[in-house]
Amino acid sequence: MSRQRIRFANAGRSSGPKRSNQRGSAAETRPPQTPVEVEIESLSLEGRGVARREGKTLFVSGALPGERVLVQLEQQHKRYDEGRCEQVLEPAAERQTPFCPHFGRCGGCELQHLNAAAQIQYKQEQLLDQLQRFAAITPQTLEPALTGPTQGYRRSARVGINQRADGQLLLGFRRRASNKLLDIDSCPVLEPRINRLLAELRAVLEGRGDIKALTHADISAGDDCLALTLRATRRPAPELRAALVACCDRLQAQLWFEYNDGTLEQVNTAASALSYAIDTPALQLQFAPGDFLQVNAEINRQMIARALDWLAPQADERALDLFCGLGNFTLPLARRVQQAVGVEGAAEMVARASDNAARNGITNVSFYKSDLSVDIRQTPWYQLSRQQGFDLILLDPPRAGAAEAI
């Protein structure tokens, strides 16, 4: 290799308990009904305050480090207890008023009561702790965090749909620590276009009679077009289909149905293709409903720019992008190197990345389907690539990590 440049991050494993909706197990006792007073020492990986009480760890939702709070105990286990913050007696300086009226009941957000700068600091401290705890690694340098908008940025979401016995429509996210839906009118974290689509969807579904065949909605937003995918246990009635098509046509949205057997049906054809722009000059990457994409468009652009800055690609180099997906990093790299190779485990994503390369006139890139959770050394693409080697390697793995590839 002409140069070695290595940057990586590993979120590690959670050191706190998984939240449980189980009640009355042998490991639990009935908690007292009177709130108890504690001081919060730190935050757990999932964003709950951590205190010590009667020799056990106590996890408190809605509490922050440095605070003195009254806690209503909810579950008591052998080694730890769980509770919720009932009253803040002494607030932390970093506490803020949550901007969403559903915060505390909705399970979608955990830290809106902590200001944005403190959230980033907390996440950085957690990452450094995990690196040290599980890998005995202390980074030599720390890059400044990437920051972007805290509201109106999320360009994909899954929203639950349910109907009560009396016909009332429920459209929203799961409640905190529950499988039940919380009915919401809008979510301030979502892109405004998605909130408008949700409002229109609600208007179509309310008063329609039996809609229990619809279980949830997946929504994705490209730069110029939306996609609404409705999970359906059976084919919706013609009147409902027609109303949904009219709704999506008004909002420049594709309409899809996903059935129990996994088949996808595109119902309307009026909307343009889903795509988003990256890099300078702009690359247009097309995607399909259900494809993985970074939910924050601004942060995605910043991540690509930072990766290019770290790698400093040169025109005579070869670059390898593992877990390449749609080509989000591969194609900007390919523009700057002699040859780029992208590897991805899903065949449909490999096809999409290849199409994106052709659509943008990039010919010096090859994409391969390969399971990166197993030994890659015997795969044809690896054997072929070994003959020339790589100067640059980029990894953007899923939560499961990249231990085998590393």
Side-chain angles (χ1 to χ4, degrees):
M1 292 187 180
S2 60
R3 292 193 301 279
Q4 290 182 329
R5 310 183 188 94
I6 302 174
R7 300 288 195 278
F8 73 94
N10 185 344
R13 295 166 290 177
S14 172
S15 59
K18 297 288 186 181
R19 290 198 184 185
S20 172
N21 296 326
Q22 302 292 322
R23 303 285 182 176
S25 69
E28 300 173 355
T29 59
R30 181 178 296 276
Q33 297 303 303
T34 303
V36 297
E37 181 179 326
V38 297
E39 292 187 3
I40 305 300
E41 300 173 0
S42 60
L43 279 180
S44 68
L45 285 178
E46 71 273 20
R48 291 188 287 177
V50 181
R52 297 289 298 178
R53 178 180 176 272
E54 297 181 352
K56 290 198 295 184
T57 300
L58 171 61
F59 295 93
V60 185
S61 61
L64 298 174
E67 293 186 331
R68 189 164 58 89
V69 298
L70 287 178
V71 181
Q72 178 60 60
L73 296 179
E74 296 180 313
Q75 294 190 61
Q76 291 185 292
H77 308 269
K78 184 176 181 180
R79 294 186 298 115
Y80 65 91
D81 295 337
E82 300 176 89
R84 68 178 186 274
C85 178
E86 286 286 286
Q87 182 181 351
V88 179
L89 303 176
E90 293 181 4
E94 298 81 13
R95 177 175 282 275
Q96 67 177 10
T97 301
F99 54 77
C100 178
H102 306 295
F103 180 76
R105 296 175 296 147
C106 176
C109 295
E110 293 288 346
L111 289 174
Q112 281 190 19
H113 57 306
L114 182 64
N115 69 49
Q119 285 189 39
I120 292 173
Q121 181 63 31
Y122 146 70
K123 292 174 183 177
Q124 177 171 298
E125 290 172 356
Q126 292 281 16
L127 172 59
L128 295 177
D129 177 71
Q130 295 294 295
L131 286 173
Q132 181 59 46
R133 183 191 303 267
F134 294 110
I137 291 173
T138 301
Q140 295 178 354
T141 60
L142 295 177
E143 299 282 348
L146 303 178
T147 59
T150 58
Q151 299 185 44
Y153 67 85
R154 189 177 179 93
R155 57 181 175 178
S156 68
R158 171 170 290 185
V159 180
I161 303 173
N162 200 359
Q163 189 177 42
R164 289 179 171 156
D166 61 1
Q168 180 187 353
L169 172 69
L170 294 177
L171 186 66
F173 299 113
R174 304 294 174 190
R175 291 178 177 272
R176 178 169 292 185
S178 172
N179 288 323
K180 295 182 178 180
L181 286 183
L182 175 69
D183 195 43
I184 66 169
D185 50 4
S186 67
C187 169
V189 174
L190 296 179
E191 272 200 18
R193 292 179 298 159
I194 296 181
N195 276 320
R196 184 184 172 194
L197 178 56
L198 286 175
E200 295 276 352
L201 178 62
R202 179 182 294 277
V204 169
L205 296 181
E206 282 182 332
R208 280 274 162 190
D210 183 6
I211 60 164
K212 290 184 178 180
L214 303 178
T215 60
H216 65 254
D218 285 316
I219 305 174
S220 299
D223 290 348
D224 302 313
C225 173
L226 299 171
L228 169 64
T229 304
L230 293 169
R231 175 66 186 271
T233 58
R234 63 179 183 272
R235 189 176 180 85
E239 297 82 3
L240 177 57
R241 287 171 64 94
L244 289 167
V245 167
C247 166
C248 289
D249 286 347
R250 286 195 305 271
L251 298 178
Q252 292 283 301
Q254 299 177 7
L255 174 61
W256 298 73
F257 287 120
E258 181 184 7
Y259 298 104
N260 282 349
D261 61 2
T263 58
L264 277 170
E265 175 194 7
Q266 184 171 5
V267 183
N268 68 340
T269 57
S272 58
L274 288 168
S275 67
Y276 64 92
I278 56 172
D279 208 6
T280 303
L283 288 165
Q284 287 288 334
L285 268 63
Q286 289 192 8
F287 64 98
D291 286 351
F292 171 80
L293 71 159
Q294 298 290 345
V295 297
N296 189 321
E298 171 58 27
I299 292 295
N300 183 53
R301 286 189 285 269
Q302 292 185 42
M303 286 198 304
I304 294 169
R306 178 162 289 185
L308 293 173
D309 177 58
W310 282 349
L311 293 169
Q314 303 299 311
D316 61 345
E317 293 184 321
R318 286 170 48 82
L320 173 65
D321 180 12
L322 300 179
F323 309 94
C324 67
L326 296 163
N328 188 64
F329 290 100
T330 328
L331 298 183
L333 270 172
R335 277 181 158 180
R336 293 161 172 81
V337 298
Q338 182 182 79
Q339 184 72 30
V341 171
V343 185
E344 168 63 42
E348 61 272 19
M349 297 295 275
V350 171
R352 211 100 65 217
S354 298
D355 289 344
N356 281 325
R359 194 172 290 109
N360 287 277
I362 298 175
T363 58
N364 64 330
V365 61
S366 301
F367 292 98
Y368 297 92
K369 177 188 178 300
S370 182
D371 183 357
L372 294 172
S373 66
V374 299
D375 190 336
I376 64 176
R377 288 172 292 181
Q378 302 306 315
T379 58
W381 72 266
Y382 183 84
Q383 292 296 322
L384 181 65
S385 300
R386 280 193 63 191
Q387 299 171 15
Q388 295 178 285
F390 292 102
D391 305 289
L392 312 172
I393 301 178
L394 186 147
L395 290 90
D396 183 24
R399 290 185 183 184
E404 295 83 4
I406 289 173

